[in-house]
Amino acid sequence: MAEVKRKIQDFHHVSRGWNIILNIIAAAFSFICIFPFLFVVIISLTDEKTLATDGYRVFPAKWSLEAYRFVFQSGDTLYRAYGVTILVTVIGTIFSLILMSLYAYAISRKSFRYRGFFSVFAIVTMLFNGGMIPTYMVVSQLMGLKDTLWALILPLAMNAFYIMILRTFYITSVPEAIIESGRIDGAGDFFIFLRIVLPLSLPGLATIGLFSTLGYWNDWFSALLYIDNPNLVPLQSMLMRIESSIQFIQNSKNSSLSMAALQTIPQDTTRMAMVVLATLPIIFAYPFFQRYFVQGLTLGAVKE
Amino acid sequence: MIKSRRSFSFVLAMLMAFVLVLSACGGSKNNAEGNSNEPAVEAPVNLIWYTIGTPQQDVDKVMEAVSKYTLEKINATITMKMVDWGDYPQKLQVNVASGEPMDIIFTASGGFDYVQNARKGAFMEMDDLLEKYGKGIKDTIDPAFLEGSKVDGHNYGIPANKELPQENVWRFNKNFVDKYNLDISSVRSLESLEPLLKTIKEKEPNVTAFGMDKNFLPNIPYDYVIQNLPMAVKLDTTDYKIVNILETPEMKQALTTMHKYYEAGYIAPEAATTGSTNDLTTSGNWFADMAQTQPLADNLWSASYGYPVVSTPASNSIINNNSVQGSIMAISANSEHPEKAMEFLNLLNTDPVLRNMVDSGIEGEHYKKIDDTHMENLPASKSYDMPSYSLGNNMLLYLNPNDQSDKWEQFKKFNAEGVDSPILSFNFDGTKVATEMAAVQNVKEQFWASLMTGTVDPDEYLPKAIEKFKEAGLDKVIAEAQTQLDAWRTANNK
Amino acid sequence: MAALFKNLVRNKVMLFMVLPGAIWFFFFSYLPLIGTVVAFKQYRFNREGFWASIVTSKWVGWDNFKFLFNGSDAYIITRNTLLYNIAFIVVGLVLSVAMAVLLSELVGKTLAKIYQTGMFLPYFLSWVIVGYFAFSFLSMDRGMVNQILGWFGVERVQWYSDPKYWPYILIFVNLWKAIGYNSVIYLASILGIDRSLYEAAMIDGASKRQQIFNITLPLLSPIIIIMTLLAVGRIFYADFGLFYQVPRDSGTLYSVTNVIDTYVYRGLKTTGEIGMSTAAGLYQSVVGFILVMISNFIVRRMDKDSALF
């Protein structure tokens, strides 16, 4: 028995040679992906004047921490932005996972009479959108969410794209037979969903949870529209404001505007430091969610 | 299928019901506000002021002080909302379109565009208001500003009193001028730059001899009907004929010279896609470039770059729409208190105390006065660092310690020397040819920067661009503009 | 009526599950759709606010759509948008699935985790920043690529004025940004596959290759089909940042970089007509909608369960 098991384990893996080749491919591609980010880190640590003279260099002639010093000088604003971003991301992810997992489950069930209608109802929202101004009207004037954290959370809570992916996960990873057997045991729809379906589709939920988290973390547009209060500005929005201001000034042909604006716009290195500060914490989101890719699997195996 | 259609009509019905409720709400709210306003004559009003710039920490604090002052003077308080540079056009569009309450709006060519939005009805027409409450403005600021900012014969905003004409200069990095003992006094035309550029190219191969970004535009004696499109009228015109500027001999010659410079390596190879020359000015690795000037500009540049910069004129001093519309304050069309807003604008443009408070903050906290006309920033001014140009009459501002005492006198002289463009205050309305405008704009973006920076050979690309413009419908746009210009001429006796 | 009520009761749990989401969609997606009327109006501000402005603005019929079909650029932008999206869909699909399979087969799970995290990093860099990097590689005089070419004695290339390289560059950059993200979906699906299927196959002596082609890929096909259908719906939309920031808005490259979104942006910069930009969006949506309907119809014919609806 032990012999057979070992053999199967071996079979489970690719051969040593292939493993090395696959590792090289994956490592090469992830290097291509990591390199620009490393480059951002390097530029953020380059001396401003050196950067202007030499351009982007992997090994700059002179290093400097000035950019970070400058960013942290703003003190409160930065920490508060971190706070807002983390709060919005955590609450938003939980909130949207609940909404979407329920919706997706209902439209994944063949026994649901209106599944066709509600599927189309979701898909249409992905194809058509009313545009910025009408959306603004609804969120800020009808709902009165302007300058509240809800204005950062609610607009991203549902996403038809994620719902359709989640629906597919339910259909493929939860065998119909299990649900039927649960029903025969007398379990209600809701109980089946909570106790059988959710644990079995953990990888799917983790994927969508990850995407939601990244979506909330990277969102700056809601803040542009709905947030005036400087205490509620999230991190990415701080960064985007700087970037779009630079673009704006460069494209502007209004000389008095450019002259006045230039003085208040941060330097290249400062922007890169902002990118680093805004990105570093979220890198850990992936390992966090990835744990559940495996857990879902083992739980599923137990249920079988 | 039938089932889903039925549920769809149900949804539609719900939607309609909702819209009805919505519009009903909106309507009643406005009525209520309208009623409550009329009798309350003596109650102080609050004015909401949208302006451009990176939001400053102490805005609310300073506005409290400002409000105290204005409450006494005009019985109004002020709330200022600062919107960051890059967000301004988009955010203002959304806010104005959705009818957010606002009274005073900063607008400029390239900000939240003045002419375009005046025509769309974003601003209140203020001819009467100006007459009634804006006497101080009329007396103080250069009349050319008010004349030049008229749209279809009416005023929709108060331009900031500052440098009026547009004048280009050649700027030189003085370090190199001195090092090679170059004579810049003889430089005026584009062609006259050549010997200097040549010297620098030979002696300092690593220095960008002729710095420029993608917005570079050679000087030729024409004024553009719309800044971004190749339609222009000659400055000394008598017949007011609009031409395609690419077809003029002056442009052809300038572009040929530019291309020669490019080929010779005086211009950076990627000039046509370069967004800014900040890295050059920071590092000092440049020799010459072109810039718009104002009095004492050399000092300003030298101080901010950290090395001496000198300049010499490159064009005449012209007053055109663009130079007049660089900074304007308008009254929002949905303002509840247009009279008060006008009173405030009048005060802001005539009262040095208010103007300096808005600009530099609270005396003793953000700045201190040295003498009657000079002031000095205190450390706290970091929390209230405002862009002066956008906040009204600049000539009321206190001077910095190292400013020359006759700074504003020099500005007045500079403004007086400007010559009106023949089409000053003619603003083309592209609504009728919007389809063609979109196509023409795309063609312009495609060819403009590479032609103007000399990156491509005009012998080959100029005819190509002209052909493409024709295809996009430029002739139709020019014809429409000509019709409007002729009508404007008749109306204004030009 | 009684039948409807009975059905509602019978589906009450499911309806209850859908309800919060449906309400959200109603408010955040359907209600704003009323604003689409602007596409047929010449929008002018009304002091009473947006709805009033819509009512009082003048009807202009299809005028706002004309600029999308005017002149020789209309063909170029439609072609570019379509071809790039098709390339992104096809190549992106193949490579993301391949990457997911590859990662799932790696022996060292810690390494796999590091690779995956790394592949996510491009997602965090905004297009503006990506644009800077592309420039630091491709710049004429200081770019790394030209320096490397120089070592081999190859003549420098003017990257930003030579259109012939750009289809490849843009496809590469897009894939570089998207693969990490998309492969997660496939990787999670692979990990959700019942392990006993593989064990059975192994006992039958199936090779790794056979397992991938006979178990993994067929079981991935539902998610692959859904992802593709969803992508088809956005086939007339282009990622503005990719086509604007990465080529640095270089005019000489427009023949291969101008897409519907950049065209609309450039065309409306001076006039800023809300009606025209709304019209463009509506046009993109309607075409996407029609294409989704057609492809969904075809999928339904072949495999009812994999269709969107």
Side-chain angles (χ1 to χ4, degrees):
Chain A
M1 189 62 198
E3 184 62 18
V4 176
K5 181 113 191 180
R6 233 172 64 87
K7 190 130 176 108
I8 288 174
Q9 286 276 318
D10 283 345
F11 244 118
H12 226 98
H13 295 313
V14 289
S15 67
R16 251 185 100 83
W18 270 108
N19 189 36
I20 292 172
I21 294 173
L22 294 187
N23 262 297
I24 290 173
I25 298 174
F29 184 67
S30 47
F31 177 75
I32 295 176
C33 293
I34 296 171
F35 181 69
F37 188 75
L38 278 182
F39 214 1
V40 172
V41 177
I42 292 171
I43 296 163
S44 72
L45 292 168
T46 305
D47 177 65
E48 185 67 46
K49 191 123 192 188
T50 313
L51 189 70
T53 322
D54 299 349
Y56 292 179
R57 286 270 171 89
V58 184
F59 303 105
K62 196 174 163 205
W63 301 83
S64 158
L65 276 173
E66 195 45 49
Y68 289 91
R69 216 167 284 143
F70 181 82
V71 173
F72 279 103
Q73 218 178 49
S74 72
D76 271 10
T77 325
L78 184 70
Y79 300 129
R80 218 176 275 132
Y82 264 116
V84 171
T85 299
I86 292 169
L87 194 69
V88 166
T89 305
V90 172
I91 297 178
T93 304
I94 296 171
F95 191 72
S96 65
L97 259 184
I98 294 173
L99 282 187
M100 291 197 287
S101 60
L102 286 170
Y103 195 99
Y105 177 65
I107 60 170
S108 79
R109 299 290 304 135
K110 286 218 181 74
S111 60
F112 182 35
R113 195 182 163 89
Y114 305 107
R115 69 192 280 254
F117 170 75
F118 283 104
S119 302
V120 177
F121 195 67
I123 292 165
V124 166
T125 66
M126 211 177 67
L127 298 170
F128 293 90
N129 70 78
M132 204 166 56
I133 297 163
T135 314
Y136 176 84
M137 297 292 298
V138 171
V139 176
S140 89
Q141 299 191 351
L142 181 67
M143 303 190 169
L145 297 181
K146 198 165 180 195
D147 266 331
T148 66
L149 284 180
W150 287 110
L152 299 175
I153 294 171
L154 282 180
L156 294 182
M158 292 280 280
N159 180 321
F161 179 70
Y162 298 165
I163 290 177
M164 296 318 282
I165 293 173
L166 210 44
R167 187 190 76 163
T168 314
F169 268 101
Y170 288 139
I171 294 176
T172 53
S173 59
V174 186
E176 194 70 30
I178 294 187
I179 296 178
E180 277 314 308
S181 72
R183 205 182 295 275
I184 290 164
D185 290 346
D189 274 326
F190 207 72
F191 184 84
I192 294 175
F193 173 68
L194 275 184
R195 286 301 161 84
I196 302 176
V197 176
L198 283 189
L200 278 178
S201 27
L202 264 187
L205 290 174
T207 311
I208 301 308
L210 175 67
F211 288 176
S212 267
T213 303
L214 301 186
Y216 276 111
W217 190 275
N218 267 359
D219 177 45
W220 49 271
F221 195 69
S222 308
L224 163 70
L225 289 184
Y226 310 123
I227 301 296
D228 286 341
N229 182 348
N231 294 334
L232 293 180
V233 175
L235 211 51
Q236 286 291 343
S237 163
M238 261 173 87
L239 180 62
M240 282 310 287
R241 276 186 185 172
I242 296 173
E243 278 181 14
S244 62
S245 290
I246 289 168
Q247 293 275 316
F248 171 73
I249 292 158
Q250 286 179 358
N251 291 325
S252 155
K253 285 157 190 121
N254 184 336
S255 71
S256 44
L257 184 150
S258 321
M259 241 188 207
L262 264 185
Q263 296 164 355
T264 59
I265 289 303
Q267 308 279 9
D268 244 11
T269 54
T270 313
R271 282 149 60 203
M272 294 301 178
M274 280 290 297
V275 175
V276 173
L277 292 172
T279 312
L280 267 187
I282 197 64
I283 289 177
F284 300 103
Y286 182 71
F288 174 79
F289 283 101
Q290 205 219 24
R291 288 192 307 203
Y292 297 102
F293 290 2
V294 190
Q295 264 182 22
L297 171 77
T298 45
L299 269 178
V302 170
K303 285 279 168 191
E304 295 270 328
Chain B
M1 198 59 212
I2 294 170
K3 180 173 36 118
S4 69
R5 196 174 297 155
R6 198 184 305 140
S7 23
F8 210 85
S9 51
F10 168 69
V11 170
L12 258 176
M14 266 179 74
L15 260 176
M16 304 256 272
F18 212 92
V19 176
L20 280 177
V21 173
L22 258 186
S23 45
C25 285
S28 62
K29 201 177 100 204
N30 280 328
N31 287 344
E33 275 171 21
N35 287 339
S36 68
N37 262 336
E38 280 163 41
V41 182
E42 289 304 322
V45 300
N46 183 43
L47 299 173
I48 300 169
W49 174 11
Y50 276 81
T51 191
I52 199 169
T54 309
Q56 297 294 312
Q57 223 168 4
D58 283 355
V59 166
D60 290 345
K61 198 175 180 184
V62 173
M63 283 309 126
E64 218 171 281
V66 166
S67 292
K68 222 166 153 191
Y69 186 77
T70 51
L71 196 61
E72 233 169 71
K73 292 262 174 185
I74 56 169
N75 197 29
T77 55
I78 309 295
T79 305
M80 182 191 264
K81 303 215 172 194
M82 285 189 90
V83 178
D84 215 332
W85 303 97
D87 296 350
Y88 198 81
Q90 198 169 29
K91 186 136 184 164
L92 262 286
Q93 194 192 37
V94 173
N95 282 6
V96 170
S98 61
E100 288 279 318
M102 45 176 75
D103 299 289
I104 296 166
I105 305 175
F106 169 79
T107 157
S109 56
F112 175 62
D113 195 82
Y114 170 66
V115 176
Q116 187 186 316
N117 287 296
R119 284 226 173 88
K120 284 187 187 152
F123 312 134
M124 198 171 278
E125 189 241 284
M126 52 165 65
D127 294 354
D128 295 341
L129 289 171
L130 196 58
E131 207 55 56
K132 228 161 142 186
Y133 302 98
K135 196 162 173 321
I137 292 176
K138 288 190 127 177
D139 294 343
T140 326
I141 71 176
D142 198 311
F145 273 116
L146 287 175
E147 190 53 39
S149 62
K150 279 188 178 165
V151 179
D152 303 331
H154 302 288
N155 281 102
Y156 289 89
I158 309 295
N161 197 24
K162 52 188 191 65
E163 70 281 4
L164 176 64
Q166 185 170 315
E167 183 186 337
N168 288 318
V169 289
W170 300 114
R171 298 194 305 174
F172 299 93
N173 184 339
K174 191 156 181 291
N175 290 341
F176 293 118
V177 175
D178 294 348
K179 190 168 170 191
Y180 299 105
N181 207 7
L182 299 167
D183 175 26
I184 60 166
S185 60
S186 59
V187 175
R188 167 87 191 191
S189 68
L190 181 62
E191 286 72 22
S192 63
L193 267 180
E194 187 164 17
L196 287 76
L197 296 176
K198 194 156 182 275
T199 313
I200 295 297
K201 181 73 194 166
E202 278 163 9
K203 305 260 171 72
E204 300 274 351
N206 290 324
V207 166
T208 304
F210 192 179
M212 69 184 64
D213 62 22
K214 63 182 175 189
N215 293 325
F216 180 84
L217 194 58
N219 282 311
I220 55 171
Y222 287 82
D223 189 19
Y224 292 79
V225 173
I226 286 191
Q227 230 194 336
N228 295 316
L229 293 179
M231 313 187 287
V233 173
K234 205 159 188 194
L235 285 177
D236 55 10
T237 189
T238 47
D239 60 355
Y240 288 80
K241 191 168 159 29
I242 300 174
V243 294
N244 179 349
I245 196 146
L246 297 179
E247 288 173 353
T248 61
E250 292 94 335
M251 186 55 104
K252 168 98 196 200
Q253 191 205 338
L255 296 187
T256 310
T257 311
M258 287 303 290
H259 187 58
K260 190 168 77 184
Y261 290 176
Y262 184 85
E263 291 285 282
Y266 304 153
I267 297 168
E270 251 116 20
T273 61
T274 301
S276 103
T277 50
N278 275 356
D279 54 339
L280 290 184
T281 48
T282 310
S283 65
N285 283 336
W286 62 285
F287 168 65
D289 73 357
M290 196 173 80
Q292 270 182 39
T293 193
Q294 63 185 46
L296 308 170
D298 287 5
N299 299 351
L300 206 71
W301 288 320
S302 304
S304 85
Y305 298 160
Y307 49 82
V309 172
V310 287
S311 66
T312 169
S315 74
N316 290 328
S317 176
I318 307 295
I319 303 172
N320 61 20
N321 288 346
N322 188 39
S323 69
V324 171
Q325 295 165 7
S327 161
I328 294 179
M329 283 160 83
I331 297 178
S332 169
N334 72 345
S335 169
E336 302 276 346
H337 319 288
E339 295 86 8
K340 274 285 173 254
M342 192 68 219
E343 279 183 60
F344 173 71
L345 287 179
N346 193 48
L347 195 65
L348 183 68
N349 282 291
T350 51
D351 183 339
V353 178
L354 175 63
R355 180 64 185 92
N356 279 290
M357 195 160 16
V358 167
D359 202 82
S360 316
I362 301 163
E363 189 178 348
E365 184 171 345
H366 298 104
Y367 73 97
K368 71 168 190 236
K369 284 192 78 172
I370 309 174
D371 55 47
D372 273 357
T373 52
H374 286 75
M375 62 146 230
E376 192 176 52
N377 279 327
L378 296 173
S381 68
K382 264 198 199 131
S383 324
Y384 192 74
D385 185 10
M386 304 289 278
S388 297
Y389 89 102
S390 63
L391 302 171
N393 191 352
N394 274 4
M395 305 203 187
L396 299 176
L397 292 176
Y398 302 138
L399 302 171
N400 284 317
N402 41 9
D403 276 341
Q404 295 175 21
S405 319
D406 65 341
K407 180 174 171 183
W408 300 127
E409 296 309 312
Q410 291 199 37
F411 266 77
K412 280 177 189 148
K413 188 160 156 266
F414 180 75
N415 289 355
E417 282 165 0
V419 179
D420 286 1
S421 151
I423 54 170
L424 175 66
S425 95
F426 165 69
N427 290 295
F428 173 55
D429 183 354
T431 314
K432 277 193 197 148
V433 286
T435 306
E436 286 77 15
M437 291 276 286
V440 166
Q441 182 74 26
N442 264 282
V443 176
K444 180 254 162 186
E445 299 272 334
Q446 181 170 3
F447 287 98
W448 205 251
S450 51
L451 276 171
M452 296 304 150
T453 55
T455 310
V456 294
D457 184 357
D459 286 338
E460 188 191 342
Y461 279 85
L462 209 46
K464 256 194 201 171
I466 293 170
E467 175 61 33
K468 196 93 197 283
F469 271 120
K470 278 211 162 59
E471 218 174 272
L474 182 62
D475 292 343
K476 194 175 162 193
V477 180
I478 291 185
E480 171 66 22
Q482 190 70 63
T483 315
Q484 289 179 21
L485 182 60
D486 292 342
W488 174 83
R489 260 181 88 187
T490 326
N492 291 280
N493 304 319
K494 298 261 175 180
Chain C
M1 196 61 202
L4 175 74
F5 188 69
K6 217 168 111 189
N7 279 330
L8 289 178
V9 171
R10 191 175 298 150
N11 289 283
K12 64 175 187 298
V13 179
M14 294 294 168
L15 279 173
F16 176 71
M17 286 179 163
V18 177
L19 191 66
I23 292 175
W24 187 96
F25 278 137
F26 176 75
F27 278 103
F28 287 90
S29 300
Y30 284 93
L31 211 48
L33 276 186
I34 308 167
T36 319
V37 199
V38 199
F40 305 95
K41 293 241 171 182
Q42 189 188 81
Y43 186 87
R44 291 296 173 262
F45 297 118
N46 181 306
R47 51 169 295 155
E48 300 296 335
F50 184 64
W51 307 117
S53 308
I54 291 186
V55 176
T56 50
S57 291
K58 188 169 85 189
W59 287 101
V60 291
W62 297 96
D63 277 4
N64 285 336
F65 291 84
K66 279 186 187 151
F67 80 108
L68 294 164
F69 308 99
N70 178 45
S72 59
D73 281 341
Y75 164 71
I76 292 177
I77 56 170
T78 315
R79 179 200 67 187
N80 286 349
T81 313
L82 263 178
L83 288 185
Y84 276 116
N85 273 321
I86 291 172
F88 294 163
I89 292 174
V90 174
V91 186
L93 177 73
V94 172
L95 291 183
S96 312
V97 172
M99 190 55 78
V101 172
L102 188 158
L103 287 167
S104 73
E105 297 293 346
L106 287 182
V107 178
K109 293 302 169 205
T110 322
L111 274 179
K113 225 179 246 190
I114 294 173
Y115 298 149
Q116 274 269 285
T117 309
M119 286 175 204
F120 248 106
L121 283 175
Y123 177 81
F124 295 107
L125 298 179
S126 67
W127 283 119
V128 178
I129 304 271
V130 174
Y132 291 144
F133 283 111
F135 185 64
S136 75
F137 284 101
L138 300 177
S139 147
M140 169 76 182
D141 42 358
R142 291 202 260 190
M144 288 186 206
V145 178
N146 275 348
Q147 278 175 21
I148 294 170
L149 288 180
W151 296 339
F152 294 105
V154 182
E155 204 178 318
R156 289 170 162 197
V157 176
Q158 284 246 30
W159 296 99
Y160 288 94
S161 48
D162 199 338
K164 68 173 179 258
Y165 305 105
W166 281 87
Y168 306 103
I169 297 175
L170 290 173
I171 291 174
F172 174 81
V173 173
N174 180 67
L175 293 176
W176 168 79
K177 210 164 191 229
I179 282 182
Y181 192 83
N182 287 332
S183 64
V184 167
I185 300 174
Y186 299 117
L187 183 63
S189 304
I190 292 173
L191 295 175
I193 294 173
D194 192 342
R195 288 290 111 175
S196 62
L197 291 173
Y198 292 98
E199 277 159 26
M202 276 181 276
I203 290 165
D204 291 346
S207 70
K208 201 76 238 180
R209 196 170 153 270
Q210 285 170 319
Q211 288 177 31
I212 290 171
F213 280 93
N214 295 325
I215 302 174
T216 314
L217 291 185
L219 286 176
L220 275 185
S221 68
I223 190 80
I224 290 177
I225 291 172
I226 289 288
M227 293 280 285
T228 310
L229 281 176
L230 295 178
V232 166
R234 300 196 58 83
I235 208 159
F236 254 51
Y237 286 94
D239 194 332
F240 178 80
L242 172 65
F243 292 98
Y244 189 83
Q245 307 287 5
V246 179
R248 291 164 71 81
D249 190 22
S250 170
T252 24
L253 302 178
Y254 279 12
S255 57
V256 295
T257 60
N258 209 359
V259 287
I260 296 177
D261 297 75
T262 51
Y263 179 82
V264 170
Y265 171 78
R266 291 178 186 124
L268 302 185
K269 242 178 8 186
T270 30
T271 48
E273 289 287 352
I274 305 175
M276 287 166 83
S277 56
T278 312
L282 190 60
Y283 165 63
Q284 291 172 304
S285 299
V286 169
V287 175
F289 183 69
I290 293 170
L291 290 175
V292 168
M293 293 306 262
I294 295 172
S295 32
N296 191 59
F297 178 75
I298 297 170
V299 172
R300 260 178 96 96
R301 272 291 169 90
M302 297 190 299
D303 174 12
K304 195 156 187 291
D305 285 340
S306 299
L308 276 172
F309 48 87

